[in-house]
Amino acid sequence: MIKVEPSIFAADFTKLGEEAKRCADAGADAIHFDIMDGHFVRNLSLSPKALAAINRSTDLFLDVHIMVYNPFEYIEKLVECGADQITFHLEATENIPETFEFIRKCGVKVGLALCPETSYSLIPKYLDKIDTLLLMTVNPGWGGQAFITDVLDKIRFARKTIDDLDLKGIDIQVDGGIDDKTAKLCVEAGANNLVAGTYLFKGDMKAKIQELRL
Ligand code: DX5
Ligand code: ZN
C-alpha cells in the first residue's frame, strides 16, 4: 500500500486549517510538515505554533520533517504541538542514538532523513531504531525543485537491505519533486511513502492522490 502525504509547505498559508481539512477530504494518509531553521537549510518555514493550529483542524497523522541543527532541542515542543512522527537529518547532529531515544521517549514515531548527496552506507546500523527512512529527492529547503534521478539507486539499495533484514515495517519515504511520473519511478525502486507539495496542492488533490497510489 502506497502512502501519500501532502507537504503543507505548498499550501495557501492564509488558510492553513482549511488546507489541512482539504488533505483529509482528499484521502491523504498524513500531513507532512516542514520545519526549517535558516541554518541547516537557508530558508525558514512554519513554526510549531502553526503545527498546533493544524493539529486542531484535523485528526490526520502529523509527520514533521525537521531541517534543523540540534534537532534534540525541538522535539518536546513539536510533540506538545501535535507531532506524531519526527524525522530529523543524519547530517544535522552528532547525537543520533540519543535523538532517536528521546523521540521515542516522547511517545512518537522516529524518522531519519538523508540529503541526496549523503551515502546510504551510514544507514544500516540505524534501521532497527526507525519507523521511516526519508530519502530526499531534492536538496532540502525549497518546494518546487526538480527531482534528482540519482537518488533512485539509493532507494533500490535501501529497499533491498530492508527486505533482506525483514524489517518490513519501515517506510521508505521520498520528498521533493514528486509528481505522477517521478512517483512511479520511486515506487518501482521500492519507496512506499510519497511526499508531494507543489503537485498535490495545485488542482484536484483527491484525483492526484489516487493517481499517485496507482
Ligand atoms: C523541501 C521539503 C518538501 C517540500 C516538497 O525541503 O522538505 O517537503 O515541501 O515540495 P515539492 O513537492 O514541491 O518538491
Ligand atoms: Zn519535507
Side-chain angles (χ1 to χ4, degrees):
M1 176 67 185
I2 304 300
K3 296 177 191 167
V4 180
E5 303 191 358
S7 178
I8 205 82
F9 196 46
D12 180 345
F13 285 10
T14 64
K15 44 178 187 177
L16 277 180
E18 282 168 50
E19 291 284 69
K21 288 193 186 100
R22 188 175 155 212
C23 297
D25 293 345
D29 294 286
I31 288 178
H32 181 92
F33 188 99
D34 289 312
I35 298 259
M36 305 177 188
D37 66 353
H39 296 280
F40 182 73
V41 293
R42 293 205 151 275
N43 199 4
L44 297 163
S45 55
L46 287 160
S47 67
K49 198 172 169 190
L51 179 67
I54 287 175
N55 190 39
R56 288 195 297 274
S57 316
T58 179
D59 292 331
L60 276 178
F61 186 92
L62 299 180
D63 181 14
V64 180
H65 171 202
I66 55 176
M67 287 155 270
V68 301
Y69 285 119
N70 305 318
F72 204 92
E73 293 171 14
Y74 298 79
I75 294 164
E76 263 178 312
K77 183 72 188 168
L78 292 169
V79 172
E80 200 184 294
C81 292
D84 294 302
Q85 170 165 276
I86 297 180
T87 297
F88 66 97
H89 272 262
L90 175 88
E91 305 86 356
T93 176
E94 307 268 290
N95 302 319
I96 292 175
E98 293 84 347
T99 308
F100 287 149
E101 240 172 72
F102 193 54
I103 296 174
R104 285 262 179 248
K105 203 173 138 210
C106 290
V108 300
K109 291 191 165 187
V110 178
L112 186 63
L114 256 70
C115 292
E117 299 291 312
T118 304
S119 164
Y120 177 77
S121 64
L122 300 165
I123 288 299
K125 65 174 171 182
Y126 298 125
L127 282 178
D128 62 337
K129 304 276 186 295
I130 62 175
D131 299 291
T132 295
L133 175 64
L134 166 53
L135 299 176
M136 290 300 298
T137 41
V138 298
N139 287 306
W142 285 267
Q145 302 181 77
F147 179 82
I148 300 175
T149 313
D150 286 355
V151 181
L152 290 170
D153 282 339
K154 191 153 58 178
I155 300 170
R156 280 186 207 102
F157 195 64
R159 172 50 65 204
K160 184 166 176 355
T161 321
I162 286 172
D163 288 353
D164 287 351
L165 294 172
D166 208 18
L167 292 169
K168 293 197 174 61
I170 300 178
D171 281 340
I172 299 182
Q173 182 177 77
V174 287
D175 179 14
I178 299 299
D179 60 21
D180 51 342
K181 291 179 190 67
T182 56
K184 283 196 175 51
L185 300 175
C186 292
V187 170
E188 275 163 23
N192 69 310
N193 184 319
L194 307 169
V195 174
T198 310
Y199 176 69
L200 286 179
F201 278 93
K202 263 193 210 147
D204 183 347
M205 189 186 286
K206 188 173 187 173
K208 288 182 167 186
I209 287 180
Q210 283 167 358
E211 172 74 28
L212 291 188
R213 288 211 183 99
L214 285 179

